[in-house]
Amino acid sequence: MSDITGLQKQLRIKTGVLTRLTKELTVYQKEEEEQLRKVEKLKADGAEGADIRQSEAVLREAQKMVPDTQNRVQNAVQDLRDLINLANEDSSFPTDDEMLIKAKEALETAEI
């Protein structure tokens, strides 16, 4: 029984990590788009060079976060997929377990 409880706990943790990272990725992608529009608007409006450079620096930071977060999402997807496979291979683990279902849903959402 302790193995099932441990597996459920790991499923809950890994599902939470994947869900959080997926949300983070969405936020960073939106921030990147917003900063890009802001830089373009500043250039179009003829803003001062210092303002444009500052906005470009913020844009570069946002652009760095997207690939890093994508890598972390991919790692979390693989970890959760491995854990789900482990649960599926364990004949004593219930296939209708709530955490297993949530984990599969989180995996599907992240892979879209």
Side-chain angles (χ1 to χ4, degrees), residues 6-32:
L7 194 52
Q8 287 172 325
K9 182 177 180 180
Q10 285 301 309
L11 282 169
R12 183 173 56 251
I13 292 169
K14 300 286 184 187
T15 300
V17 167
L18 182 57
T19 302
R20 178 182 51 80
L21 287 172
T22 302
K23 288 178 184 176
E24 243 179 68
L25 180 59
T26 303
V27 168
Y28 288 137
Q29 288 169 332
K30 286 180 183 177
E31 182 179 342
E32 180 183 16

Side-chain angles (χ1 to χ4, degrees), residues 6-68:
L7 194 52
Q8 287 172 325
K9 182 177 180 180
Q10 285 301 309
L11 282 169
R12 183 173 56 251
I13 292 169
K14 300 286 184 187
T15 300
V17 167
L18 182 57
T19 302
R20 178 182 51 80
L21 287 172
T22 302
K23 288 178 184 176
E24 243 179 68
L25 180 59
T26 303
V27 168
Y28 288 137
Q29 288 169 332
K30 286 180 183 177
E31 182 179 342
E32 180 183 16
E33 291 170 12
E34 289 171 8
Q35 288 300 323
L36 184 58
R37 282 194 297 272
K38 183 177 179 181
V39 168
E40 289 171 353
K41 184 177 183 319
L42 286 172
K43 286 180 180 179
D45 292 346
E48 292 186 26
D51 292 336
I52 293 172
R53 285 190 299 277
Q54 178 63 32
S55 291
E56 287 174 337
V58 173
L59 174 61
R60 283 191 299 276
E61 283 299 313
Q63 288 171 331
K64 287 179 186 177
M65 293 307 297
V66 171
D68 176 59

Side-chain angles (χ1 to χ4, degrees), residues 36-102:
L36 184 58
R37 282 194 297 272
K38 183 177 179 181
V39 168
E40 289 171 353
K41 184 177 183 319
L42 286 172
K43 286 180 180 179
D45 292 346
E48 292 186 26
D51 292 336
I52 293 172
R53 285 190 299 277
Q54 178 63 32
S55 291
E56 287 174 337
V58 173
L59 174 61
R60 283 191 299 276
E61 283 299 313
Q63 288 171 331
K64 287 179 186 177
M65 293 307 297
V66 171
D68 176 59
T69 307
Q70 285 173 330
N71 288 336
R72 293 187 310 161
V73 167
Q74 289 174 350
N75 291 338
V77 163
Q78 188 59 48
D79 289 347
L80 188 57
R81 186 180 294 127
D82 291 345
L83 204 54
I84 289 172
N85 289 338
L86 185 63
N88 288 335
E89 291 171 3
D90 187 347
S91 60
S92 64
F93 196 85
T95 57
D96 62 345
D97 182 77
E98 181 181 350
M99 283 315 307
L100 183 59
I101 293 169
K102 286 182 181 180

